[in-house]
PDB file of all heavy atoms in Angstrom:
ATOM      1  N   VAL A  47     -43.171   6.852  64.944  1.00 97.00           N
ATOM      2  CA  VAL A  47     -44.202   7.830  65.330  1.00 97.00           C
ATOM      3  C   VAL A  47     -44.409   7.939  66.793  1.00 97.00           C
ATOM      4  O   VAL A  47     -44.519   9.015  67.323  1.00 97.00           O
ATOM      5  CB  VAL A  47     -45.631   7.298  64.720  1.00 97.00           C
ATOM      6  CG1 VAL A  47     -46.777   8.068  65.302  1.00 97.00           C
ATOM      7  CG2 VAL A  47     -45.585   7.404  63.181  1.00 97.00           C
ATOM      8  N   ARG A  48     -44.273   6.891  67.616  1.00 97.00           N
ATOM      9  CA  ARG A  48     -44.383   6.942  69.039  1.00 97.00           C
ATOM     10  C   ARG A  48     -43.234   7.889  69.603  1.00 97.00           C
ATOM     11  O   ARG A  48     -43.383   8.653  70.499  1.00 97.00           O
ATOM     12  CB  ARG A  48     -44.269   5.634  69.706  1.00 97.00           C
ATOM     13  CG  ARG A  48     -44.321   5.478  71.089  1.00 97.00           C
ATOM     14  CD  ARG A  48     -45.609   5.924  71.696  1.00 97.00           C
ATOM     15  NE  ARG A  48     -45.630   5.770  73.027  1.00 97.00           N
ATOM     16  CZ  ARG A  48     -46.463   6.452  73.907  1.00 97.00           C
ATOM     17  NH1 ARG A  48     -47.233   7.293  73.458  1.00 97.00           N
ATOM     18  NH2 ARG A  48     -46.358   6.243  75.270  1.00 97.00           N
ATOM     19  N   VAL A  49     -41.923   7.666  69.139  1.00 97.00           N
ATOM     20  CA  VAL A  49     -40.911   8.465  69.696  1.00 97.00           C
ATOM     21  C   VAL A  49     -41.069   9.893  69.255  1.00 97.00           C
ATOM     22  O   VAL A  49     -40.770  10.741  70.078  1.00 97.00           O
ATOM     23  CB  VAL A  49     -39.493   7.813  69.131  1.00 97.00           C
ATOM     24  CG1 VAL A  49     -38.420   8.791  69.443  1.00 97.00           C
ATOM     25  CG2 VAL A  49     -39.265   6.454  69.687  1.00 97.00           C
ATOM     26  N   LEU A  50     -41.462  10.186  68.036  1.00 96.00           N
ATOM     27  CA  LEU A  50     -41.688  11.489  67.664  1.00 96.00           C
ATOM     28  C   LEU A  50     -42.810  12.249  68.446  1.00 96.00           C
ATOM     29  O   LEU A  50     -42.723  13.370  68.893  1.00 96.00           O
ATOM     30  CB  LEU A  50     -42.087  11.624  66.187  1.00 96.00           C
ATOM     31  CG  LEU A  50     -41.020  11.467  65.188  1.00 96.00           C
ATOM     32  CD1 LEU A  50     -41.502  11.410  63.822  1.00 96.00           C
ATOM     33  CD2 LEU A  50     -40.010  12.563  65.283  1.00 96.00           C
ATOM     34  N   TRP A  51     -43.848  11.534  68.762  1.00 95.00           N
ATOM     35  CA  TRP A  51     -44.909  11.950  69.598  1.00 95.00           C
ATOM     36  C   TRP A  51     -44.380  12.324  70.980  1.00 95.00           C
ATOM     37  O   TRP A  51     -44.746  13.344  71.618  1.00 95.00           O
ATOM     38  CB  TRP A  51     -46.165  11.046  69.706  1.00 95.00           C
ATOM     39  CG  TRP A  51     -47.167  11.504  70.619  1.00 95.00           C
ATOM     40  CD1 TRP A  51     -47.580  11.068  71.796  1.00 95.00           C
ATOM     41  CD2 TRP A  51     -47.941  12.738  70.468  1.00 95.00           C
ATOM     42  NE1 TRP A  51     -48.484  11.736  72.472  1.00 95.00           N
ATOM     43  CE2 TRP A  51     -48.790  12.782  71.599  1.00 95.00           C
ATOM     44  CE3 TRP A  51     -48.055  13.663  69.455  1.00 95.00           C
ATOM     45  CZ2 TRP A  51     -49.758  13.791  71.736  1.00 95.00           C
ATOM     46  CZ3 TRP A  51     -49.004  14.743  69.722  1.00 95.00           C
ATOM     47  CH2 TRP A  51     -49.879  14.859  70.784  1.00 95.00           C
ATOM     48  N   LEU A  52     -43.609  11.500  71.622  1.00 96.00           N
ATOM     49  CA  LEU A  52     -43.120  11.635  72.933  1.00 96.00           C
ATOM     50  C   LEU A  52     -42.096  12.911  72.951  1.00 96.00           C
ATOM     51  O   LEU A  52     -41.996  13.611  74.019  1.00 96.00           O
ATOM     52  CB  LEU A  52     -42.279  10.435  73.417  1.00 96.00           C
ATOM     53  CG  LEU A  52     -43.134   9.227  73.829  1.00 96.00           C
ATOM     54  CD1 LEU A  52     -42.245   8.077  74.105  1.00 96.00           C
ATOM     55  CD2 LEU A  52     -44.111   9.579  74.935  1.00 96.00           C
ATOM     56  N   ALA A  53     -41.537  13.160  71.831  1.00 94.00           N
ATOM     57  CA  ALA A  53     -40.574  14.381  71.737  1.00 94.00           C
ATOM     58  C   ALA A  53     -41.392  15.597  71.575  1.00 94.00           C
ATOM     59  O   ALA A  53     -41.060  16.732  72.065  1.00 94.00           O
ATOM     60  CB  ALA A  53     -39.593  14.250  70.613  1.00 94.00           C
ATOM     61  N   ILE A  54     -42.542  15.580  70.867  1.00 93.00           N
ATOM     62  CA  ILE A  54     -43.282  16.791  70.506  1.00 93.00           C
ATOM     63  C   ILE A  54     -44.392  17.107  71.512  1.00 93.00           C
ATOM     64  O   ILE A  54     -44.760  18.259  71.661  1.00 93.00           O
ATOM     65  CB  ILE A  54     -43.933  16.697  69.087  1.00 93.00           C
ATOM     66  CG1 ILE A  54     -42.808  16.565  68.035  1.00 93.00           C
ATOM     67  CG2 ILE A  54     -44.913  17.659  68.750  1.00 93.00           C
ATOM     68  CD1 ILE A  54     -43.234  16.249  66.625  1.00 93.00           C
ATOM     69  N   GLU A  55     -44.892  16.057  72.194  1.00 94.00           N
ATOM     70  CA  GLU A  55     -46.072  16.381  73.136  1.00 94.00           C
ATOM     71  C   GLU A  55     -45.799  17.439  74.135  1.00 94.00           C
ATOM     72  O   GLU A  55     -46.600  18.224  74.415  1.00 94.00           O
ATOM     73  CB  GLU A  55     -46.422  14.895  73.736  1.00 94.00           C
ATOM     74  CG  GLU A  55     -47.587  15.061  74.631  1.00 94.00           C
ATOM     75  CD  GLU A  55     -47.875  13.794  75.477  1.00 94.00           C
ATOM     76  OE1 GLU A  55     -46.949  12.940  75.434  1.00 94.00           O
ATOM     77  OE2 GLU A  55     -48.886  13.787  76.004  1.00 94.00           O
ATOM     78  N   PRO A  56     -44.578  17.457  74.827  1.00 94.00           N
ATOM     79  CA  PRO A  56     -44.444  18.548  75.789  1.00 94.00           C
ATOM     80  C   PRO A  56     -44.532  19.934  75.206  1.00 94.00           C
ATOM     81  O   PRO A  56     -44.624  20.909  75.930  1.00 94.00           O
ATOM     82  CB  PRO A  56     -43.018  18.268  76.418  1.00 94.00           C
ATOM     83  CG  PRO A  56     -42.726  16.798  76.015  1.00 94.00           C
ATOM     84  CD  PRO A  56     -43.462  16.557  74.820  1.00 94.00           C
ATOM     85  N   LEU A  57     -44.268  20.104  73.896  1.00 94.00           N
ATOM     86  CA  LEU A  57     -44.179  21.299  73.209  1.00 94.00           C
ATOM     87  C   LEU A  57     -45.586  21.848  72.813  1.00 94.00           C
ATOM     88  O   LEU A  57     -45.715  23.091  72.453  1.00 94.00           O
ATOM     89  CB  LEU A  57     -43.258  21.371  72.028  1.00 94.00           C
ATOM     90  CG  LEU A  57     -41.846  20.995  72.315  1.00 94.00           C
ATOM     91  CD1 LEU A  57     -41.085  20.818  70.943  1.00 94.00           C
ATOM     92  CD2 LEU A  57     -41.112  21.898  73.234  1.00 94.00           C
ATOM     93  N   VAL A  58     -46.562  21.007  72.968  1.00 94.00           N
ATOM     94  CA  VAL A  58     -47.867  21.376  72.381  1.00 94.00           C
ATOM     95  C   VAL A  58     -48.466  22.634  73.097  1.00 94.00           C
ATOM     96  O   VAL A  58     -48.960  23.588  72.317  1.00 94.00           O
ATOM     97  CB  VAL A  58     -48.868  20.128  72.447  1.00 94.00           C
ATOM     98  CG1 VAL A  58     -50.312  20.619  72.158  1.00 94.00           C
ATOM     99  CG2 VAL A  58     -48.548  19.080  71.463  1.00 94.00           C
TER     100      VAL A  58
END
Side-chain angles (χ1 to χ4, degrees):
V47 167
R48 177 71 176 150
V49 168
L50 284 174
W51 176 247
L52 288 175
I54 292 172
E55 185 185 13
L57 300 175
V58 169

